[in-house]
Amino acid sequence: MKNSYLAECIGTFWLVLGGCGSAVLAAAFPDVGIGLAGVSLAFGLTVLTMAFAIGHISGCHLNPAVSVGLCVGGRFPKADLIPYIVAQVIGAIIAGGVLYVIASGKAGFDLAGGFASNGYGEHSPGGYSLVAALVTEVVMTAILLFVIMGATDQRAPQGLAPIAIGLCLTLIHLISIPVTNTSVNPARSTGVAVYVGAWALAQLWLFWVAPIVGGALGALMYRGIAKE
């Protein structure tokens, strides 16, 4: 296995454990819960920290939609696309398993609480429709790729891309957690949905299709305006 594939597996593991873990374990902890803002920041921090840790090894995609978007944007070779996605999903599922072991150690734990899964309709945190969820995930992922493409452009200030990307992901969560619990990442969605099963797996298709479409659109938008 290439080091870059292993790095993506480890990095995505951290994203799911850090982001979803904050939602499952800390968001509503009695009296001192971190809330929506804390969970949003946690997701941003996972990307920020891993970008510095493995960005020079794999590019720190941690997200199939990012890999697809960068491929569409001409920044990533097609030959590595499927291995990257497989590594990301494996890392996410392992993280979901670790989180399940931790969370189930508390009396009263129940997967019916959602386990940080993404959803729409009755499974949307705010009761938002499928159409609202679809639009949200496409647009948010498009902006994420737009920022990634711009922040990593050779003409951009060097060394600051992880900060811009991490803060962008934080902002995306602040906006969209009430709508879908925020995916913008098919691996993140899969990593917890496989443990919830039932409705989470039934709705998982949207959290693959919408982020990948959005990622491709965002990359194309940046390519369109970045030409000198």
Side-chain angles (χ1 to χ4, degrees):
M1 177 184 288
K2 286 185 178 181
N3 288 345
S4 58
Y5 303 162
L6 183 57
E8 283 297 302
C9 183
I10 294 170
T12 311
F13 170 89
W14 181 233
L15 182 146
V16 173
L17 186 61
C20 294
S22 70
V24 172
L25 303 174
F29 189 75
D31 302 325
V32 292
I34 61 175
L36 184 154
V39 174
S40 300
L41 183 59
F43 272 101
L45 288 174
T46 63
V47 172
L48 174 62
T49 52
M50 273 298 163
F52 281 116
I54 65 170
H56 54 287
I57 299 172
S58 69
C60 192
H61 298 185
L62 317 185
N63 182 341
V66 170
S67 296
V68 170
L70 292 176
C71 188
V72 171
R75 301 273 190 88
F76 184 65
K78 293 179 181 179
D80 283 332
L81 182 58
I82 297 302
Y84 260 54
I85 292 175
V86 171
Q88 292 156 1
V89 171
I90 290 173
I93 291 174
I94 294 172
V98 171
L99 180 57
Y100 178 80
V101 170
I102 296 170
S104 61
K106 180 180 179 180
F109 170 74
D110 188 353
L111 285 172
F115 200 52
S117 291
N118 302 113
Y120 54 84
E122 65 178 312
H123 300 294
S124 157
Y128 288 84
S129 68
L130 186 157
V131 172
L134 178 65
V135 171
T136 297
E137 290 292 326
V138 169
V139 172
M140 296 298 162
T141 315
I143 295 300
L144 176 62
L145 263 293
F146 190 88
V147 170
I148 290 172
M149 292 280 287
T152 57
D153 194 309
Q154 292 182 350
R155 296 166 292 177
Q158 297 301 297
L160 300 178
I163 298 172
I165 296 166
L167 289 175
C168 178
L169 189 62
T170 298
L171 177 55
I172 285 169
H173 279 77
L174 286 171
I175 297 167
S176 59
I177 284 178
V179 184
T180 62
N181 227 10
T182 309
S183 171
V184 301
N185 184 338
R188 168 262 187 270
S189 298
T190 304
V192 289
V194 295
Y195 296 95
V196 176
W199 68 265
L201 288 178
Q203 295 192 352
L204 184 60
W205 67 271
L206 185 141
F207 303 105
W208 274 87
V209 173
I212 286 175
V213 170
L217 289 174
L220 290 173
M221 284 192 299
Y222 186 79
R223 284 187 68 175
I225 70 163
K227 296 176 182 178
E228 295 180 341

